[in-house]
Amino acid sequence: MATLLHLDSSLWPEAASASRSVTAAFRKAWEEQHPDGTVIYRDLGTDPVPHLDALTAAAGFTDPADRTPEQAAAFAARLELIEELENADAVLIGAPMYNFTIPSTLKAWLDQVVLMGRTAGVEESPIKGTPVYIVASRGGSYAPGTPREGYEYVQNFLQALFADMLGMKVDFIVPELTMAHSNPAMAELIPLADASKAKAHEDAVTKGKAAALNAAA
């Protein structure tokens, strides 16, 4: 029985969130294709995990027998997040662009699950090769050739971390120009925004079904 780890990080509810609506479409397609599967869901926007602190970080490099009670408790919470990632057959992440990069809540989760010697920095790890589907929504466009191409710090960062550092297989779904309907200065871009939204939802359904089939195989 396959497991999907689903993370949302938008601060907005689904009705007002481009990333949440697309991850919801992906998850629905995954569940319809694999109804016997398991979905582990974390809403980092409403229930954020703690930021990594010195106590928790030090515990990761301390022999379990030598950890203080405080270190042991802190690491147990971190280990739960790591094991959720390790046990997932596929990962789905909503990663909207806030101020050119990912939400701090998603960064906090990443800092918790990236552990040198376990999920990173080793030749083989339980997460190596695991597919991760990232819905990288943004209010404008930062695609190659656009004026703000150089400000794209979501896909570039997450590609480097998940693929290069963790060895996972990264696949992006990018609904862009999401502010076109609410920003008068972007009114002429509404048709492009609508087309991007439609394609993102179509991609989410297609990739959600494929991910379920691959995970269940």
Side-chain angles (χ1 to χ4, degrees):
M1 198 162 57
T3 298
L4 173 69
L5 175 60
H6 175 189
L7 308 172
D8 277 320
S9 61
S10 172
L11 58 85
W12 304 108
E14 183 179 330
S17 168
S19 64
R20 285 183 186 271
S21 66
V22 177
T23 60
F26 183 108
R27 176 174 170 173
K28 181 181 179 182
W30 194 92
E31 291 177 321
E32 289 176 346
Q33 193 67 47
H34 189 37
D36 295 328
T38 299
V39 176
I40 297 174
Y41 180 61
R42 283 191 177 270
D43 190 335
L44 302 176
T46 60
D47 188 18
V49 302
H51 284 278
L52 188 66
D53 56 20
L55 179 71
T56 312
F61 298 102
T62 302
D63 187 284
D66 297 329
R67 288 174 185 153
T68 66
E70 292 78 14
Q71 285 180 324
F75 189 75
R78 185 182 189 186
L79 185 60
E80 179 182 357
L81 300 174
I82 291 172
E83 289 180 341
E84 285 179 352
L85 177 60
E86 290 177 334
N87 293 328
D89 296 286
V91 181
L92 170 64
I93 299 175
M97 178 184 281
Y98 291 165
N99 300 317
F100 303 126
T101 189
I102 62 173
S104 63
T105 52
L106 179 55
K107 180 61 165 61
W109 178 84
L110 288 169
D111 288 340
Q112 293 283 3
V113 300
V114 176
L115 179 60
M116 296 303 295
R118 180 157 180 168
T119 58
V122 291
E123 186 63 28
E124 296 293 336
S125 77
I127 65 173
K128 187 174 183 179
T130 300
V132 53
Y133 300 87
I134 302 172
V135 179
S137 60
R138 60 278 314 277
S141 179
Y142 301 80
T146 61
R148 288 196 167 184
E149 175 184 356
Y151 292 89
E152 209 300 303
Y153 301 115
V154 173
Q155 288 177 263
N156 290 337
F157 167 61
L158 295 177
Q159 176 72 28
L161 191 146
F162 281 110
D164 301 340
M165 188 174 186
L166 302 181
M168 301 177 74
K169 295 181 180 178
V170 182
D171 195 338
F172 287 101
I173 300 172
V174 185
E176 61 178 11
L177 302 170
T178 63
M179 294 294 294
H181 282 275
S182 59
N183 184 349
M186 297 175 65
E188 64 181 17
L189 300 175
I190 287 177
L192 292 176
D194 291 343
S196 179
K197 178 181 179 180
K199 185 178 187 304
H201 280 264
E202 180 182 340
D203 287 348
V205 172
T206 300
K207 294 178 181 183
K209 289 180 178 179
L213 288 171
N214 292 334

